[in-house]
Amino acid sequence: MADDGDSKPKIDSFAALRYKDFRSYVGMRFCFTFAYQMQAVVIGFYIYQLTKSVFALGLVGLCEAIPAIGIALYGGYIADKSEKRKMLLFIFSGVILASAVMFTVTLKSMSAIIPTGWIVPIIYTMIFCNGIARAFYGPATFTVYAHSIPKEVYPNASTWSSSSWQIASIIGPATGGLIYGYAGKIIPGLTGITATFSVIILFLLISLVLVFMLRKYPPVFVPKESIWKSLSEGIHFVFHNKMMIGAMSLDLFSVFFGGAVALLPVFANEILKVGAEGLGIMRATSSLGAVLTMLAMARFSPMGKPWRNLLIAVTGFGLSIICFGLSRSFYLSLVFLFTEGAFDSISVIIRGTIMQLLTPDHMRGRVSAVNQMFIGSSNEIGAFESGTAARLLGTVPAVIFGGSMTMLIVGFTYLKTKKLIPLSLNQIQPPEVEVKSAV
């Protein structure tokens, strides 16, 4: 797993980056996330400009969440029995195709061919296709990540993997917002959406090239039993592990109710009045808080008392959401978005490390699929909840309600998991699970 000729590196702040495949994985994830985050911010703003509907924003998340959740378990089953690099090549090719379709329908020259009323449904359809790709992407990359490094550097790798995601999430939305807002002013006749999709497709192509640089990852087991029995084993494993199901549930419900990010186009347009450029800055600020915190965590690990720190982090996340909803100052709102991202990043590091440590190799695809159902689509489901709540309650009350519900969930989780609070990282051990169908 290490570079050819490399001796086993010492465990230090850069331990995970000393492995060639992990570097390729991080680069792939960075480019893909950069493009995906750009696409998310400009699609949300574009649809809101066309429809002026907060509910339409919520539907963006729902269109992606339905397939991502609906076939996640099947995606995990396929990931466990398939060669991962080949699987990722198919996934990335599909995402590039969907982005190319959205690029085409949003071209200014296509307005004479495609009726305006068709544009939003076509975009929703492509987002649905992306949801299908995500159902397979999560389990495949979970396994690549796990086998690109030795287990002793999992905590360090979790920090770098999450940091790459967060750095891309900083510059992705900011770049998307700036290109969307300024492209037409710099180059007459060029629309912001067209320029943005050009950059998105470029970075998706780079991520595809980086997939080619990965070595092949053959399956660690080939199931002999039926697909339903194989999937039920993964579900049974997760739901009988108190720490794993607790971490998944805490993230699912906190993000479900605290999904204020989906409403940022409304805040940018109508409440703070900062436009597409301000929207990009707002999206980037949350990720800036996350990545700076993650870089600090590479040196000062939060894994001393992981469960205690997880509860503290989610509490801070909920409080930040409430304060953001109450703010009417753009700069003060940026402060609360920064702290929201910082607290969220701590929970991401802790949860990611726990998941890797507790999952046996032969079940990584299926366990990741269950995780995908809980966490991977929680942002999209939360976006739908936020859009629906904003339609019923109003935008600001919906955000405050979501943050308050997150606080209640933390309190409930604390009461149910008090025994886990004193545990240190060394006390978290993977359970013994029989491998029924080894290669």
Side-chain angles (χ1 to χ4, degrees):
M1 288 180 288
D3 293 342
D4 293 341
D6 286 353
S7 59
K8 184 178 179 181
K10 294 162 59 175
I11 304 302
D12 57 26
S13 297
F14 300 93
L17 296 178
R18 301 183 188 278
Y19 292 84
K20 178 179 180 295
D21 250 30
F22 184 76
R23 293 196 298 270
S24 297
Y25 163 82
V26 168
M28 173 201 72
R29 193 178 191 213
F30 174 87
C31 292
F32 179 77
T33 303
F34 176 84
Y36 211 78
Q37 291 293 322
M38 280 187 70
Q39 184 168 287
V41 72
V42 299
I43 285 297
F45 199 80
Y46 183 73
I47 287 179
Y48 186 72
Q49 282 189 321
L50 289 178
T51 64
K52 300 299 180 183
S53 169
V54 292
F55 187 69
L57 285 176
L59 288 178
V60 173
L62 188 65
C63 285
E64 187 167 353
I66 288 175
I69 294 174
I71 60 174
L73 288 175
Y74 181 69
Y77 172 81
I78 294 299
D80 272 341
K81 62 180 293 188
S82 302
E83 196 278 300
K84 310 304 179 294
R85 188 181 69 168
K86 183 178 180 181
M87 188 174 175
L88 285 171
L89 290 174
F90 279 113
I91 292 167
F92 278 62
S93 297
V95 173
I96 291 170
L97 180 60
S99 295
V101 171
M102 287 189 278
F103 168 78
T104 302
V105 300
T106 56
L107 285 171
K108 190 175 181 180
S109 60
M110 296 298 291
S111 60
I113 302 173
I114 302 175
T116 304
W118 288 15
I119 294 177
V120 173
I122 291 173
I123 291 175
Y124 283 152
T125 302
M126 293 302 101
I127 293 171
F128 185 91
C129 293
N130 282 340
I132 295 175
R134 276 190 53 187
F136 295 90
Y137 171 80
T141 54
F142 188 77
T143 304
V144 171
Y145 167 92
H147 290 282
S148 64
I149 47 170
K151 289 186 177 180
E152 59 264 26
V153 298
Y154 277 177
N156 180 259
S158 180
T159 299
W160 287 112
S161 177
S162 298
S163 295
S164 72
W165 187 90
Q166 291 291 355
I167 291 171
S169 297
I170 292 174
I171 60 177
T175 303
L178 292 171
I179 294 175
Y180 192 102
Y182 287 110
K185 299 176 183 177
I186 298 174
I187 306 177
L190 179 66
T191 63
I193 192 72
T194 298
T196 307
F197 263 112
S198 300
V199 178
I200 289 169
I201 293 173
L202 172 63
F203 273 83
L204 288 176
L205 289 171
I206 294 173
S207 67
L208 184 66
V209 172
L210 288 168
V211 173
F212 277 104
M213 297 176 67
L214 294 170
R215 64 181 173 88
K216 292 184 177 181
Y217 286 86
V220 295
F221 97 118
V222 178
K224 296 178 181 178
E225 66 272 18
S226 70
I227 181 174
W228 300 113
K229 185 175 180 181
S230 179
L231 293 178
S232 67
E233 288 181 358
I235 296 172
H236 181 271
F237 173 80
V238 171
F239 279 83
H240 284 75
N241 188 300
K242 190 173 183 179
M243 179 170 282
M244 186 175 285
I245 191 64
M248 287 184 181
S249 300
L250 187 63
D251 183 88
L252 170 66
F253 291 109
S254 62
V255 175
F256 177 80
F257 288 110
V261 171
L263 299 177
L264 287 184
V266 185
F267 277 86
N269 252 349
E270 299 178 4
I271 297 174
L272 301 175
K273 301 185 184 303
V274 290
E277 300 88 340
L279 174 61
I281 294 171
M282 291 165 71
R283 287 290 300 266
T285 299
S286 176
S287 294
L288 176 63
V291 73
L292 291 179
T293 303
M294 285 181 170
L295 292 174
M297 292 301 100
R299 184 71 177 174
F300 307 102
S301 173
M303 300 304 295
K305 300 286 184 190
W307 197 255
R308 179 200 65 186
N309 294 340
L310 180 62
L311 293 176
I312 292 172
V314 180
T315 300
F317 174 83
L319 285 172
S320 298
I321 292 295
I322 293 172
C323 293
F324 170 76
L326 293 172
S327 172
R328 293 296 176 273
S329 164
F330 177 61
Y331 296 105
L332 187 59
S333 295
L334 292 181
V335 171
F336 294 129
L337 287 172
F338 182 93
T339 57
E340 176 263 331
F343 284 117
D344 187 48
S345 69
I346 297 172
S347 70
V348 166
I349 291 173
I350 296 172
R351 189 180 64 250
T353 304
I354 289 173
M355 290 290 297
Q356 291 289 352
L357 288 174
L358 293 178
T359 305
D361 283 345
H362 70 285
M363 298 186 73
R364 290 193 181 277
R366 286 166 289 172
V367 171
S368 176
V370 178
N371 182 56
Q372 175 83 5
M373 294 177 69
F374 273 76
I375 297 171
S377 298
S378 57
N379 287 321
E380 287 74 29
I381 299 174
F384 178 70
E385 181 276 335
S386 296
T388 304
R391 185 179 185 182
L392 297 174
L393 304 175
T395 301
V396 172
V399 172
I400 296 173
F401 168 77
S404 300
M405 289 300 297
T406 298
M407 301 294 292
L408 289 175
I409 290 161
V410 174
F412 177 80
T413 305
Y414 167 78
L415 294 175
K416 291 291 184 180
T417 60
K418 286 184 178 180
K419 292 182 179 180
L420 300 177
I421 292 175
L423 295 182
S424 66
L425 181 63
N426 293 334
Q427 293 173 300
I428 301 176
Q429 298 295 331
E432 294 293 329
V433 181
E434 181 185 1
V435 180
K436 295 184 177 181
S437 305
V439 175

